Amino acid sequence: MVGALDGLLVLDLSRILAGPTATQLLGDLGATVIKIENPKTGGDDTRSWGPPSAETPDGKSDLSAYFMAANRNKYSVAADLSTQEGQALVRSIASQADVVIENYKPDGLVKYGLDHATLCAAHPELVYCSISGFGQTGPERDRAGYDLMAQGFGGIMSLTGDPDGPPMKVGVGIADVMCGMYATIGILAALRHRDATGEGQHIDLALVDSQIAWLINEGTNFLASGQEPVRRGNAHPNIVPYDVFATKDGHIILAVGNDRQFRAFCAAMDRPDLADAPEFATNPDRIANRDAISAAISETLAARHSAEILELLQNAGVPAGPIHTVGEALNTAQAKSRGAVLDVPHPDTVAGRVELLGNPLKFSKTPVTVRQPPPRFGADTDRLAQILGARRR
């Protein structure tokens, strides 16, 4: 089955998470992705970021769960960029590529002749995406960047965690993942421009820039008010009630988005007094009296079981839901029906298969496919010519 990006060749010089997230997504959409890995280091750093890892017959698994999360639909080619042979191999792939993506420090590839200026001059139709911690310009450009540093520098940690607790990172590498998403969008936009004009271009993308961009309402809250946003735990800065509440046997999420839903919540919970109270009548009123309304709701919900509350609120059309563990989330009937988990054959593992997270995109004409499992290091080096020759043009 032909994917939306079938025939596209991506040269992947990235590692860890932001770049690999982008190239995996392009691969899911049908592109041929050649991942270059350094034989001196044993490949992508995340290959050793385990356990857990998939068990391999040689007992030396380089398929950590972390690596597998972002490296399906790719071919692994070993090449040492510090050697003339490695540079020549990468240049030969670049000469056929539509896209190059890398996440070296700014100017880190200049000494190898693989930087954007050199390759784009040789191949004007090339789309070349550079991902770095702080971007190709600015006073911080030479600083190394990792997800945790980006979350701290970009402000999201100041908003995350309990109000009285320390700044807290998001539970997964969200700065990396969102940067990878922006990279994918930018690459697709640049490809459309190239197809219309014949001209490629360079995309300069920074972890910190993308993290600041998705401060979204909290960023504009500051710009509009001049007041620093504060940590509110699970509460929302602009909507009340929108929080996690304890019940008689656990916790639930209550996400009241408008005044109609608030009145429906009060009716479902037998609290007409809250609906009728002028200090709670509108969302701005509830924000002004956040502590009082939150205390009243907490008292009400603590007296009932979670299942009872959720059934009543669902029937009333009030957004509310459970809080699943990761295992529970992946095993819900909804997740299973939507393909949240993929069972992928993998001949290089003892089990002969690996389980991976699915792609959420559902196309009616060009569905996402998994054509290659996450590769062992250098698995495709010897058959690179065959891979390049087999791809659709």
Side-chain angles (χ1 to χ4, degrees), residues 86-117:
Q87 295 163 21
L89 178 63
V90 172
R91 287 195 196 97
S92 71
I93 301 171
S95 70
Q96 301 184 51
D98 300 280
V99 176
V100 174
I101 183 165
E102 57 90 7
N103 63 347
Y104 285 74
K105 290 183 180 180
D107 299 333
L109 291 173
V110 171
K111 59 186 175 183
Y112 305 134
L114 300 174
D115 56 296
H116 70 88

Side-chain angles (χ1 to χ4, degrees), residues 234 242-255 265 269 297 300-302 304-311 313 318-324:
N234 293 304
Y242 192 105
D243 207 340
V244 171
F245 291 93
T247 67
K248 196 170 185 178
D249 59 348
H251 293 81
I252 66 160
I253 291 169
L254 177 63
F265 164 78
M269 292 293 102
I297 291 173
T300 299
L301 298 184
R304 298 174 182 253
H305 290 90
S306 297
E308 175 197 4
I309 296 168
L310 293 178
E311 182 178 3
L313 295 184
V318 178
I323 301 172
H324 290 136

Side-chain angles (χ1 to χ4, degrees), residues 327-346:
E328 289 169 342
L330 295 179
N331 283 286
T332 62
Q334 179 68 15
K336 290 180 177 180
S337 73
R338 297 287 291 175
V341 177
L342 304 176
D343 194 322
V344 179
H346 201 310

Side-chain angles (χ1 to χ4, degrees), residues 27-203:
D28 282 359
L29 298 178
T32 298
V33 181
I34 306 296
K35 182 180 179 71
I36 302 298
E37 299 193 73
N38 187 352
K40 289 182 177 178
T41 63
D44 192 310
D45 303 50
T46 63
R47 285 188 178 276
S48 63
W49 287 11
S53 300
E55 187 179 358
T56 56
D58 59 10
K60 301 177 180 178
S61 178
D62 55 6
L63 295 172
S64 73
Y66 199 114
F67 174 82
M68 292 194 295
N71 286 286
R72 66 169 172 252
N73 281 331
K74 303 178 187 181
Y75 298 99
S76 174
V77 172
D80 184 351
L81 301 190
S82 68
T83 67
Q84 292 185 353
E85 293 80 7
Q87 295 163 21
L89 178 63
V90 172
R91 287 195 196 97
S92 71
I93 301 171
S95 70
Q96 301 184 51
D98 300 280
V99 176
V100 174
I101 183 165
E102 57 90 7
N103 63 347
Y104 285 74
K105 290 183 180 180
D107 299 333
L109 291 173
V110 171
K111 59 186 175 183
Y112 305 134
L114 300 174
D115 56 296
H116 70 88
T118 301
L119 290 184
C120 289
H123 311 289
E125 73 287 355
L126 189 64
V127 172
Y128 191 116
C129 180
S130 296
I131 295 176
S132 59
F134 292 83
Q136 304 295 306
T137 61
E140 307 288 348
R141 71 184 291 270
D142 294 322
R143 291 182 60 180
Y146 285 88
D147 176 89
L148 182 59
M149 294 174 63
Q151 289 196 39
F153 196 97
I156 193 67
M157 288 180 67
S158 73
L159 306 175
T160 307
D162 289 332
D164 298 325
M168 187 71 64
K169 77 176 185 68
V170 178
V172 296
I174 190 66
D176 273 335
V177 171
M178 286 301 297
C179 187
M181 295 292 183
Y182 278 110
T184 305
I185 294 168
I187 288 167
L188 294 177
L191 286 170
R192 178 167 172 79
H193 172 78
R194 184 205 64 178
D195 291 346
T197 67
E199 297 176 343
Q201 60 183 298
H202 181 224
I203 301 168

